[in-house]
Amino acid sequence: MFPIVHKRQLSDAVFEIGVSAPKIAAKARAGQFLMVRIDDRGERIPLTFSDWSAEEGWIRFIFMRVGKTTHQLSHLEVGDSLLDVVGPLGVPTHTDGVDRIAIIGGGVGVAVAYPVARAMADAGAKVSVIIGARNKELLILEDELRALPLERFVVVTDDGSAGIKGLVTHPLKELCEAGEIDEAFAVGPAIMMKFCAATTRDFSVPTTVSLNPIMVDGTGMCGACRVSVDGETKFGCVDGPDFDGHAVDFEELMSRQRVYSDLEREADADYSQGCQCHL
Amino acid sequence: MPERDPKQRASVFDEVGYGYTPEMALEEAMRCLQCKNPTCQEGCPVNIDIKGFIGAIIEGDHKRGVEILKERNALPAVCGRVCPQEEQCEQMCVLTKKGESVAIGRLERFLGDSDLACELDGRCVPAVAPSSGFRCAVVGSGPAGLACAGELAQLGHAVTIFESLHAPGGVLSYGIPEFRLPKVILDGEIETLSALGVELVTDTVVGQLVTVPELLAEEGFDAVFIGSGAGLPVFLGTPGENLNGVFSANEFLTRVNLLRAYEFPTSDTPVWRGRKVAVIGGGNVAMDAARTALRLGAEEVFLVYRRTEDEMPARKEEVHHAREEGVEFKMLCSPSEIVGRDGFVTGIVATRMELTEPDESGRRAPVCVMDSEFTIECDTVISAVGTRANPLLSKAAPELELTKRGYIVTDDDGTTNMPGVYAGGDIVTGAATVILAMGAGKKAAVAMDRWLRN
Ligand SMILES: Cc1cc2nc3c(=O)[nH]c(=O)nc-3n(C[C@H](O)[C@H](O)[C@H](O)COP(=O)(O)OP(=O)(O)OC[C@H]3O[C@@H](n4cnc5c(N)ncnc54)[C@H](O)[C@@H]3O)c2cc1C
Ligand SMILES: Cc1cc2nc3c(=O)[nH]c(=O)nc-3n(C[C@H](O)[C@H](O)[C@H](O)COP(=O)(O)OP(=O)(O)OC[C@H]3O[C@@H](n4cnc5c(N)ncnc54)[C@H](O)[C@@H]3O)c2cc1C
Ligand code: FES
């Protein structure tokens, strides 16, 4: 059992939960993820580390309420427990030899961009961060990011309610044009990562993306998470989640993410009906 | 052995075989000739005293029968259900020549079940030697790991099993369906192991959370056994393999068995329920996937295999069950492409095959028949064409010697090139059987014990 020791609501649909897991905390690295299961009948879902403390023995993740399991998670409080937390999984984001990098986080992907930016800065890289969301309410971790030693910090929103109005690809393109970055790292919705990679491709700026295919075990056993990279089949959970953004087949990824959409709506409706809260 | 009616069972996950009543067990046991030289025992990879346990049934002493079984086999109720007896002990039974062999597997199951049916206190728990003071780590809780752990515990060592999934059992838990091996049976057998003092730690991926060298150097273990299986699915390598509706048997079966997707939405994990399902392969895995698809409501399930039924590696009993339940066999055809529309599967393009004359080894190879391509319409493809070694653990133990294909190199008794590290089961041999994995686990335990005490 993994007791919940921290909970915070970051926006209407985004929550942060911390659990006590000393062994996992001692091994966590930026870019890695966990598989979480709430209870005996629960689904295993992947969530990325957003923060951890090896000294205090806790790990945190940030999630967006999208379906049944994340709905259920959002109702848990400090003192409740998760039945299963497996991790750290996946290959840590590479930080060696990175000089000037742009880190782009979209939506709840900022939860991943934050530890990655921190790890890059710790490794001595000059880090620019661009975060984006649909509107001001959906921006997360702004204060935490501002506290890091960053070269630049740019906020964009679709509606202009915070930062610059527009898409994350605009400031990214400017950085590329000015020749101010050697590398990029993008995490967020697949469509956003696709356009970030398309933007940097024109400037031959190597770009890593952190993919989120559907997963079941997270250990390379089921093959649910397969993605095509440079025409080759790779497993998101063990070969990734980071991949070369210029080689990923994003259309396939997006199509595969939708495979269970109808069934998931059914589960969530079923759950919401039985549950007395007002969602 | 009485069985659930094929029509009725094809839509439920309840077990197919009901098992023997004590009267039936006695009647079957009486057929045993109690040979002076019981050849059946030679056919058993773990050398169970078959004559002995059947003798005990004849005498009505079931408790002793269980004891005899458990001297060699920690999971009789499991093995009695899933072992390919017809190619092992039963094939060597002298009655085979005259007609039908003694149903050794069913008798084993009968005893295993009657043992489990008592409360834990009443169960046969093998004796444990005085504590040796040594601590052993076992990676993986499949048959190899469970057998090794049980043996080590009996030899007096403190044993901890580390399992990456949330439930123990390996393929027994995530792969083999409820209708062949009910979870209560598996859980019961694992409970007996816990009664021996074996500690089970789930949710721990060795190679990620802790490495094999760390288990030895930092976590205070004196020896390690690796039984991590060969759980990495192989895909067909044909165009279209990543279309929606194409699954590895592992994903499909894990969703259903480990995560109980057949109870969705009262359980949370969904599974794709196809109408027309093509399963590719001819082994036990393919049979399980095909029969599971039927139970999830498929109208048609095809089994696509490139040789003929005679060459299918699946157990005969399971092939028979699959056919009874309505799985349609498409033999001698091999998929060359999976086709789809809007990202979803619509069919398989397959080529007809024929078998060559047998080569020196007696094997007949399948070869394509020219211009014989045809399409099998389907909305689901389940690939059950094999597995490989998962590199997760070995990547974090670079000194461990591996074969070119990633399997762990060991001696006959499971010794690896790393001092104190042993391995066995599918991670050494490639996909094999439950009983062979158990045999390897036990052998390694004996070697570990020798090494520890020297
Ligand atoms: C490596 C990785 C890291 C992730 N990190 C985060 C994170 O830090 N924060 C966060 O909010 N989300 C993260 N996700 C996505 C998160 O796993 C899904 O939002 C979650 O599984 C949804 O579950 P649900 O039952 O609430 O919703 P559902 O109703 O089941 O699904 C809603 C949508 O989520 C996606 N999804 C569903 N099941 C899975 C699954 N098993 N694996 C992956 N995606 C799935 C699908 O696109 C689906 O349409 C990550 C995904 C991956 C693969
Ligand atoms: C669907 C299916 C049906 C089958 N039917 C039969 C049958 O009827 N009869 C028969 O004899 N055989 C059958 N087999 C084959 C048989 O199940 C296997 O040969 C046997 O389970 C191998 O045992 P094992 O202990 O080596 O590995 P596994 O059973 O694969 O167990 C390995 C365990 O190790 C865990 N693990 C892996 N990596 C790590 C890690 N890094 N850290 C911690 N834990 C880890 C895994 O999660 C798993 O629990 C079947 C196989 C399948 C897939
Ligand atoms: S999630 Fe199962 S192989 Fe990656």
Side-chain angles (χ1 to χ4, degrees):
Chain A
M1 294 290 262
F2 295 81
I4 295 175
V5 292
H6 164 93
K7 182 181 180 188
R8 181 162 71 122
Q9 184 160 9
L10 303 184
S11 77
D12 181 40
V14 179
F15 298 78
E16 177 177 64
I17 280 184
V19 299
S20 168
K23 286 202 158 159
I24 301 178
K27 285 284 174 118
R29 296 287 175 275
Q32 289 187 298
F33 67 95
L34 306 150
M35 294 299 298
V36 170
R37 200 169 73 117
I38 300 176
D39 58 34
D40 196 34
R41 303 190 75 75
E43 184 172 12
R44 294 168 65 101
I45 67 158
L47 296 167
T48 313
F49 289 101
S50 67
D51 203 356
W52 59 92
S53 163
E55 293 75 36
E56 294 168 25
W58 52 257
I59 54 173
R60 285 180 191 170
F61 49 83
I62 290 174
F63 60 94
M64 178 146 69
R65 200 167 56 192
V66 290
K68 171 159 183 196
T69 306
T70 46
H71 255 127
Q72 240 182 319
L73 265 181
S74 73
H75 294 299
L76 298 178
E77 299 298 338
V78 171
D80 293 337
S81 287
L82 302 178
L83 186 57
D84 299 289
V85 179
V86 189
L89 296 170
V91 183
T93 299
H94 86 100
T95 53
D96 289 353
V98 177
D99 187 16
R100 300 174 308 166
I101 188 165
I103 295 174
I104 307 101
V108 73
V110 176
V112 184
Y114 168 62
V116 169
R118 190 172 63 184
M120 293 286 182
D122 287 348
K126 296 185 193 68
V127 184
S128 300
V129 170
I130 303 167
I131 63 168
R134 261 180 291 139
N135 59 51
K136 190 172 190 297
E137 274 63 54
L138 297 174
L139 279 173
I140 59 170
L141 300 182
E142 212 181 322
D143 297 341
E144 286 83 349
L145 280 161
R146 280 190 199 285
L148 295 178
L150 303 180
E151 294 288 296
R152 273 177 213 80
F153 181 56
V154 186
V155 174
V156 294
T157 47
D158 288 8
D159 64 355
S161 53
I164 308 166
K165 181 170 165 38
L167 299 170
V168 287
T169 43
H170 300 150
L172 175 62
K173 187 164 180 214
E174 284 168 17
L175 287 178
C176 291
E177 276 166 350
E180 292 186 8
I181 52 169
D182 321 304
E183 267 187 60
F185 176 96
V187 55
I191 187 82
M192 179 212 100
M193 293 192 275
K194 176 184 164 177
F195 282 109
C196 285
T199 304
T200 56
R201 182 180 285 122
D202 296 340
F203 302 91
S204 302
V205 171
T207 299
T208 303
V209 287
S210 174
L211 301 187
N212 52 349
I214 287 184
M215 295 188 177
V216 179
D217 61 304
T219 67
M221 185 265 281
C222 75
C225 61
R226 58 198 194 276
V227 290
S228 294
V229 183
D230 235 353
E232 237 187 282
T233 296
K234 297 276 183 190
F235 287 8
C237 65
V238 286
D239 300 320
D242 291 358
F243 290 101
D244 173 0
H246 295 158
V248 168
D249 182 341
F250 282 102
E251 298 307 321
E252 181 186 277
L253 175 73
M254 288 186 273
S255 166
R256 289 183 60 82
Q257 283 175 338
R258 283 192 295 270
V259 65
Y260 283 110
S261 300
D262 293 346
L263 283 172
E264 276 148 1
R265 267 195 295 280
E266 187 189 324
D268 196 36
D270 193 67
Y271 172 70
S272 308
Q273 226 166 40
C275 141
Q276 293 311 306
C277 63
H278 302 282
L279 295 170
Chain B
M1 184 169 68
E3 285 176 352
R4 220 171 272 284
D5 172 69
K7 280 210 182 55
Q8 186 246 338
R9 72 176 187 244
S11 60
V12 297
F13 280 82
D14 300 314
E15 193 174 11
V16 168
Y18 288 109
Y20 283 148
T21 61
E23 296 73 33
M24 290 174 194
L26 180 63
E27 192 186 321
E28 184 61 27
M30 299 278 271
R31 293 184 57 233
C32 173
L33 303 176
Q34 294 283 304
C35 309
K36 213 192 229 124
N37 273 328
T39 43
C40 52
Q41 189 168 347
E42 288 160 34
C44 172
V46 298
N47 219 249
I48 291 175
D49 177 4
I50 296 169
K51 177 182 168 181
F53 88 73
I54 297 186
I57 299 179
I58 295 172
E59 285 160 23
D61 191 350
H62 295 170
K63 195 160 170 31
R64 222 186 94 60
V66 174
E67 278 162 17
I68 295 172
L69 266 175
K70 286 208 173 169
E71 274 167 24
R72 298 277 168 171
N73 184 350
L75 313 171
V78 170
C79 290
R81 287 174 165 78
V82 303
C83 267
Q85 290 101 3
E86 69 277 11
E87 294 169 11
Q88 301 180 156
C89 51
E90 292 178 7
Q91 194 178 40
M92 306 284 274
C93 172
V94 291
L95 289 184
T96 310
K97 293 191 203 94
K98 299 193 189 135
E100 214 173 328
S101 77
V102 174
I104 302 172
R106 291 170 180 184
L107 291 172
E108 179 183 25
R109 168 183 164 163
F110 167 74
L111 284 182
D113 284 359
S114 57
D115 183 45
L116 288 178
C118 327
E119 291 301 308
L120 193 57
D121 281 339
R123 269 187 219 165
C124 166
V125 179
V128 171
S131 168
S132 66
F134 292 113
R135 293 181 64 213
C136 300
V138 170
V139 181
S141 63
L146 292 174
C148 181
E151 192 75 14
L152 286 169
Q154 284 185 60
L155 291 166
H157 308 297
V159 188
T160 308
I161 304 182
F162 295 102
E163 167 57 49
S164 59
L165 293 172
H166 59 259
V171 170
L172 305 178
S173 140
Y174 74 72
I176 300 183
E178 185 76 18
F179 56 82
R180 275 215 291 142
L181 176 63
K183 287 283 172 294
V184 285
I185 298 291
L186 177 63
D187 294 347
E189 304 251 56
I190 290 172
E191 229 174 81
T192 316
L193 269 187
S194 311
L196 288 173
V198 174
E199 193 191 347
L200 185 77
V201 181
T202 50
D203 292 337
T204 302
V205 183
V206 176
Q208 296 278 76
L209 185 61
V210 62
T211 65
V212 171
E214 283 168 355
L215 286 172
L216 291 165
E218 293 165 27
E219 304 276 327
F221 289 100
D222 303 296
V224 178
F225 173 79
I226 303 170
S228 52
L232 191 80
V234 172
F235 285 90
L236 294 161
T238 58
E241 69 176 6
N242 292 342
L243 284 166
N244 285 330
V246 184
F247 303 91
S248 77
N250 269 10
E251 175 184 355
F252 185 68
L253 292 170
T254 299
R255 284 179 181 272
V256 174
N257 299 324
L258 183 71
L259 294 156
R260 290 193 283 196
Y262 61 97
E263 293 169 344
F264 185 88
T266 60
S267 73
D268 295 346
T269 307
V271 66
W272 176 274
R273 292 173 186 249
R275 267 190 325 109
K276 282 189 175 192
V277 181
V279 177
I280 300 164
N284 287 321
V285 187
M287 269 347 120
D288 284 346
R291 297 170 68 196
T292 298
L294 269 184
R295 282 163 172 78
L296 290 174
E299 289 157 19
E300 285 174 281
V301 178
F302 310 113
L303 197 93
V304 181
Y305 183 57
R306 59 194 184 124
R307 295 190 165 89
T308 69
E309 200 178 319
D310 288 338
E311 285 88 18
M312 279 204 305
R315 295 184 57 201
K316 297 287 166 291
E317 176 169 313
E318 307 310 338
V319 173
H320 168 72
H321 281 157
R323 172 164 286 136
E324 268 186 344
E325 287 163 12
V327 173
E328 204 179 305
F329 288 43
K330 288 192 186 288
M331 299 291 105
L332 287 171
C333 52
S334 172
S336 44
E337 186 176 352
I338 301 172
V339 290
R341 203 179 313 116
D342 304 329
F344 286 80
V345 172
T346 54
I348 295 180
V349 180
T351 312
R352 293 214 187 279
M353 308 296 279
E354 58 191 5
L355 295 181
T356 58
E357 290 306 313
D359 61 10
E360 294 101 75
S361 66
R363 198 148 165 88
R364 297 159 55 123
V367 288
C368 300
V369 176
M370 288 282 277
D371 300 324
S372 65
E373 285 198 343
F374 66 106
T375 304
I376 304 169
E377 258 181 61
C378 59
D379 58 9
T380 309
V381 176
I382 300 174
S383 153
V385 294
T387 54
R388 285 180 313 180
N390 189 327
L392 210 55
L393 174 142
S394 49
K395 264 201 280 195
E399 53 276 67
L400 197 61
E401 195 193 333
L402 306 176
T403 67
K404 266 205 297 286
R405 316 188 83 186
Y407 295 104
I408 299 177
V409 176
T410 68
D411 289 348
D412 240 11
D413 61 1
T415 313
T416 72
N417 68 317
M418 279 174 79
V421 179
Y422 295 75
D426 285 4
I427 188 59
V428 170
T429 55
T433 60
V434 171
I435 194 71
L436 287 173
M438 290 183 67
K442 287 182 60 158
K443 236 190 201 170
V446 173
M448 286 166 87
D449 180 68
R450 211 179 316 120
W451 184 79
L452 285 167
R453 292 184 199 267
N454 279 338

